[in-house]
Amino acid sequence: MFGVFNIKLFAMETTEKAIDVLNDLIEINNDRVAGFAHAVKELKENDTDLRLLFLQLREESRENVHELGSVINENGGEVEMGMSGNGALHRMWLDVKAAFTGHDRRGILTECERGEDAIKKAYEHALMPDNDLSPEVTAIIMRQQENVIASHNQIKALRDFEGLD
């Protein structure tokens, strides 16, 4: 799907920092996978539209993890496949997961939107100029960011629509 990567992160002195940035994105994408998996469990049987959406977004994050991990491996780094690192942004998805109990569709969508806010911030942070990422890596992150923003907007629109009832 992603083909062979021959992407160098940048200069040797910034490779370690770039790998840290990519690993942070892997962690929050893993949090997102867990968050959407939990959201699916909280849905009612007749919420098939949300179930399909959440499963699609979970898969999107799995693909993001694979792509980011491939770039790290190509540059001699070690992929950290954990969840919820030191940053508060990473923990936000897990906080979202814990808040689902007893929520209706609107409540679940509200909590998912909070999680999407966290991943949007993580991508914004990754693209900060002081991270000194190569143009190729920046392009990958920007493409993934576009999908994250679109997903956020879709969840927000669904949440807003639920509020009209």
Side-chain angles (χ1 to χ4, degrees):
M1 178 184 309
F2 301 112
V4 177
F5 291 95
N6 277 328
I7 299 172
K8 295 300 174 198
L9 293 173
F10 201 66
M12 288 297 275
E13 62 273 6
T14 61
T15 299
E16 190 171 317
K17 182 176 182 179
I19 289 171
D20 287 343
V21 168
L22 296 176
N23 272 320
D24 286 346
L25 291 177
I26 286 173
E27 287 177 359
I28 196 154
N29 271 284
N30 283 335
D31 289 346
R32 188 179 189 225
V33 167
F36 280 124
H38 189 80
V40 165
K41 291 178 187 174
E42 294 297 322
L43 292 171
K44 295 183 176 115
E45 236 177 86
N46 61 339
D47 290 328
T48 54
D49 59 330
L50 291 184
R51 182 171 282 106
L52 291 173
L53 174 63
F54 293 167
L55 291 173
Q56 174 190 345
L57 297 178
R58 183 183 71 180
E59 185 59 29
E60 176 184 287
S61 273
R62 285 181 175 160
E63 290 172 5
N64 289 349
V65 166
H66 176 75
E67 185 174 28
L68 296 169
S70 293
V71 173
I72 291 171
N73 286 330
E74 293 260 331
N75 286 275
E78 187 172 324
V79 177
E80 297 172 15
M81 289 302 294
M83 294 183 345
S84 298
N86 296 332
L89 290 178
H90 300 280
R91 286 191 297 274
M92 199 174 206
W93 248 115
L94 292 185
D95 292 343
V96 167
K97 235 173 57 166
F100 282 128
T101 308
H103 281 73
D104 58 6
R105 282 175 60 98
R106 186 171 179 10
I108 291 170
L109 286 164
T110 297
E111 297 307 323
C112 287
E113 184 187 0
R114 282 185 55 223
E116 292 296 274
D117 287 340
I119 197 167
K120 275 179 44 180
K121 287 180 186 172
Y123 273 86
E124 288 168 13
H125 175 56
L127 290 169
M128 292 175 67
D130 63 334
N131 286 326
D132 293 326
L133 301 174
S134 72
E136 296 87 358
V137 172
T138 299
I140 289 170
I141 293 171
M142 287 177 73
R143 181 179 36 76
Q144 289 185 4
Q145 180 188 42
E146 287 175 15
N147 292 333
V148 165
I149 290 168
S151 300
H152 170 274
N153 293 343
Q154 184 177 12
I155 288 173
K156 182 180 184 318
L158 287 167
R159 190 226 40 219
D160 290 348
F161 179 76
E162 289 295 324
L164 297 177
D165 293 340

